[in-house]
Amino acid sequence: MKLKYLIIALFISLQASAQVPAPAPLQNKPILLTGATLHVGNGTVIEKAAVAFDKGKIIYAGSASSAPTATGYEQIDVTGQHIYPGLIQPNTTLGLNEIASVRATLDQQEVGQINPNVRAMVAYNTDSDVLPTIRANGVLLLQVTPVGGTISGTSSVMHLDAWNWEDAVVKADDGMHLYWPPLLYQTQSETTPAFTEAQRNREKLLQDLDKLFKEAAAFRLGTPNKENFKLTALKGLFDGTKRLYLHADNAKDIIESVRFAQKNGVKQIVLTGGRDAWRITDFLRENNIPVILSGVHALPGLAGDDTDLAYKTPFLLQQAGILYGLSYSTSLHGVRNLPFIAGTAVAHGLTKEQALMTITVNTAKILGIDTQVGTLETGKDATLVVSAGDLLDMRTNQVTQAYIQGRRLVLTDKQKYLYQKFKAKYQAGEAK
């Protein structure tokens, strides 16, 4: 009977923790993690390592034998575990939508085709029930990206622990997202009116895009009498302060979109999606185009492709010397699987440290935040995770600690609450 009441008390306490955890307080004393295997994020692995950080910044990362003395530090023994940089998920609507069937919770797109003035970060919901489930697997930063239309708007890089969107910003308005209109292919022997109309609409859309970019370039150089929010939002593309993320998969679409951006004077171009990137690596390398690769867990794109082509595409890009990062963007809740698509790439050619780089430092370089995050080095943000096992393996990924800018996160979430809730229910039934 005592056991029954104890379980009921546990259940009541779990109900109190079912909400999204409050953001962690600022780091108030130096912390020293010792004894773990350190994965720096740049390919370096240090056994029996130590990481020290204070006021949100890393002050030491290296061998435990050379670590600063523990006087004044909160010393945490993590012997036998692994320390990794916080993982970075690019190109996601996480934080912009919550419940697919409830329109009021969906803030990922605006009406219309051309919306460069849309800013995703102002719609970012720090109270989302989904965010804690993502960081529990090691993902601590997001590139929050609008969708819909041809130019969907501007993304921003956010972290997953904050009271509001202003506190969550890591890099505001990092780039504009252009969803390239795909080439159309006639599958019948003779041209149909519907195909002709679709082709005409595509050509008009490309003409409108070209006109818009030329107007934006002229607007940047002029002194307009009144504000134009759409043209103002595009200005950063021409001086390199903002990236243009081209969303395209087909090889011909990729080449066409890149040449369009270059012709219009865009300084920094990033390919997003990139299913066929492996087919045109020479073109990408010659034009210095980095890739955010989606669809590692996907079926082959063409009937003649290898069945494991999507799995080994990261290795093909690695061999070709392309700067690329991985994105898990096919499912809102699936973002928690970001480390596991990197693990899939390990099974198809990459080393574990190369795979780790695709979801840490490579992505940080592409997004322009590598001076802050991406590796565990002195002077960078103390944004890191501690795992009991290999972070890239779903069988051993067990995050025991996580820090964002030195603030230790509470790693509870709704799914863990539900697990404990029904575990307590059945234990209570067995105790009768």
Side-chain angles (χ1 to χ4, degrees), residues 16 64 90 95 109 127 164 191 196 206 266 276 286 288 296 364 380 430:
Q109 71 180 76
D127 291 322
N164 49 54
T191 302
T196 302
L206 293 180
V266 176
D276 285 352
E286 289 165 5
N288 194 30
V296 173
K380 291 193 175 184
E430 291 172 358

Side-chain angles (χ1 to χ4, degrees), residues 37 73 113 128 147 165 182 258:
T37 299
Y73 284 77
Q113 287 290 318
S128 168
V147 296
W165 68 262
V258 168

Side-chain angles (χ1 to χ4, degrees), residues 311-312 314-316 318-319 343-352 354:
Y311 305 153
K312 65 184 181 183
F315 175 66
L316 298 177
Q318 185 81 29
Q319 280 190 314
T344 299
V346 172
H348 291 80
L350 294 186
T351 67
K352 287 186 178 181
Q354 287 173 337

Side-chain angles (χ1 to χ4, degrees), residues 48-365:
K48 297 180 180 179
V51 176
F53 47 96
D54 188 22
K55 298 177 182 177
K57 296 291 184 180
I58 296 173
I59 56 178
Y60 178 81
S63 173
S65 61
S66 303
T69 57
T71 304
Y73 284 77
E74 178 185 353
Q75 186 169 351
I76 303 174
D77 186 0
V78 287
T79 300
Q81 301 190 57
H82 299 259
I83 303 175
Y84 298 89
L87 308 185
I88 308 168
Q89 163 66 32
N91 184 34
T92 181
T93 59
L94 190 61
L96 302 181
N97 52 20
E98 191 76 3
I99 305 171
S101 60
V102 180
R103 178 64 185 88
T105 71
L106 306 181
D107 291 320
Q108 73 272 26
Q109 71 180 76
E110 292 290 344
V111 297
Q113 287 290 318
I114 309 295
N115 293 299
N117 51 303
V118 169
R119 304 173 75 204
M121 69 178 184
V122 299
Y124 181 64
N125 176 23
T126 55
D127 291 322
S128 168
D129 279 335
V130 184
L131 298 185
T133 70
I134 304 304
R135 65 193 194 190
N137 274 9
V139 181
L140 301 184
L141 297 109
L142 309 171
Q143 182 198 33
V144 181
T145 304
V147 296
T150 303
I151 297 182
S152 61
T154 303
S155 60
S156 292
V157 183
M158 321 289 279
H159 61 65
L160 275 73
D161 184 68
W163 286 104
N164 49 54
W165 68 262
E166 292 98 331
D167 294 340
V169 174
V170 176
K171 184 173 184 180
D173 301 326
D174 71 291
M176 187 69 59
H177 290 260
L178 169 56
Y179 293 79
W180 191 252
L183 286 165
L184 302 174
Y185 297 94
Q186 181 66 28
T187 57
Q188 299 180 3
S189 58
E190 60 183 43
T191 302
T192 63
F195 179 81
T196 302
E197 181 67 18
Q199 193 80 343
R200 186 182 299 115
N201 290 339
R202 181 179 187 272
E203 290 172 0
K204 183 180 184 307
L205 180 57
L206 293 180
Q207 291 172 0
D208 291 343
L209 283 175
D210 189 62
K211 179 182 177 182
L212 176 68
F213 273 69
K214 285 181 168 54
E215 288 179 350
F219 182 83
R220 179 179 72 94
L221 299 175
T223 53
N225 296 324
K226 61 180 182 179
E227 182 63 275
N228 185 310
F229 293 112
K230 289 190 175 184
L231 298 184
T232 299
L234 292 166
K235 287 170 63 176
L237 299 179
F238 308 107
D239 60 17
T241 58
K242 190 179 285 189
R243 290 158 173 75
L244 179 62
Y245 295 93
L246 293 171
H247 293 250
D249 283 311
N250 182 278
K252 290 184 178 179
D253 291 336
I254 294 170
I255 293 172
E256 184 183 33
S257 62
V258 168
R259 287 176 173 164
F260 167 87
Q262 291 173 333
K263 181 189 73 172
N264 282 284
V266 176
K267 298 297 184 183
Q268 296 198 66
I269 303 169
V270 178
L271 172 62
T272 303
R275 183 195 64 214
D276 285 352
W278 66 277
R279 300 180 189 273
I280 52 171
T281 52
D282 289 344
F283 173 82
L284 295 174
R285 187 172 53 250
E286 289 165 5
N287 289 277
N288 194 30
I289 307 296
V291 179
I292 293 176
L293 180 66
S294 301
V296 173
H297 285 179
L299 295 172
L302 300 174
D305 289 342
D306 293 344
T307 56
D308 62 349
L309 178 59
Y311 305 153
K312 65 184 181 183
T313 297
F315 175 66
L316 298 177
L317 297 181
Q318 185 81 29
Q319 280 190 314
I322 305 296
L323 174 62
Y324 71 101
L326 300 184
S327 170
Y328 197 106
S329 57
T330 57
S331 164
L332 173 65
H333 299 272
V335 171
R336 77 189 73 169
N337 294 320
L338 178 65
F340 308 141
I341 64 170
T344 299
V346 172
H348 291 80
L350 294 186
T351 67
K352 287 186 178 181
E353 298 311 309
Q354 287 173 337
L356 179 63
M357 291 172 68
T358 67
I359 51 178
T360 55
V361 66
N362 286 9
T363 303
K365 289 178 179 178

